[in-house]
Amino acid sequence: MSIELIVTAAAFLGAGAVAGLSLLRAGRPADPFKVRLVDYNYVAIFAVAIMLVVGAHLVTLIAGHPVTGRRFG
């Protein structure tokens, strides 16, 4: 197993953990006496976007060649 695959898989799992924790925090009811400094919904959206990009790179590493999709014409 190459180091690129290990690092990419760790980044994917890390982004998944951040997305999961931020969605957990976003689902809690708001405390009216505390000001939320971070909107956890935006953090979750950003983490899922990172997961999509890293997931595409992970598929490329596992396949062994760049996945270009279908070509019509």
Side-chain angles (χ1 to χ4, degrees):
M1 210 170 3
S2 67
I3 190 72
E4 293 91 5
L5 184 63
I6 294 169
V7 170
T8 306
F12 184 80
L13 292 176
V18 168
L21 289 175
S22 62
L23 284 173
L24 192 93
R25 292 287 306 251
R28 291 184 181 171
D31 186 9
F33 300 111
K34 287 187 178 179
V35 177
R36 284 191 182 181
L37 298 177
V38 176
D39 189 4
Y40 291 105
N41 290 319
Y42 292 132
V43 174
I45 290 170
F46 184 71
V48 169
I50 295 295
M51 284 179 67
L52 287 173
V53 171
V54 172
H57 183 62
L58 198 61
V59 167
T60 300
L61 287 176
I62 291 172
H65 57 84
V67 180
T68 57
R70 295 184 181 186
R71 298 188 186 265
F72 296 104

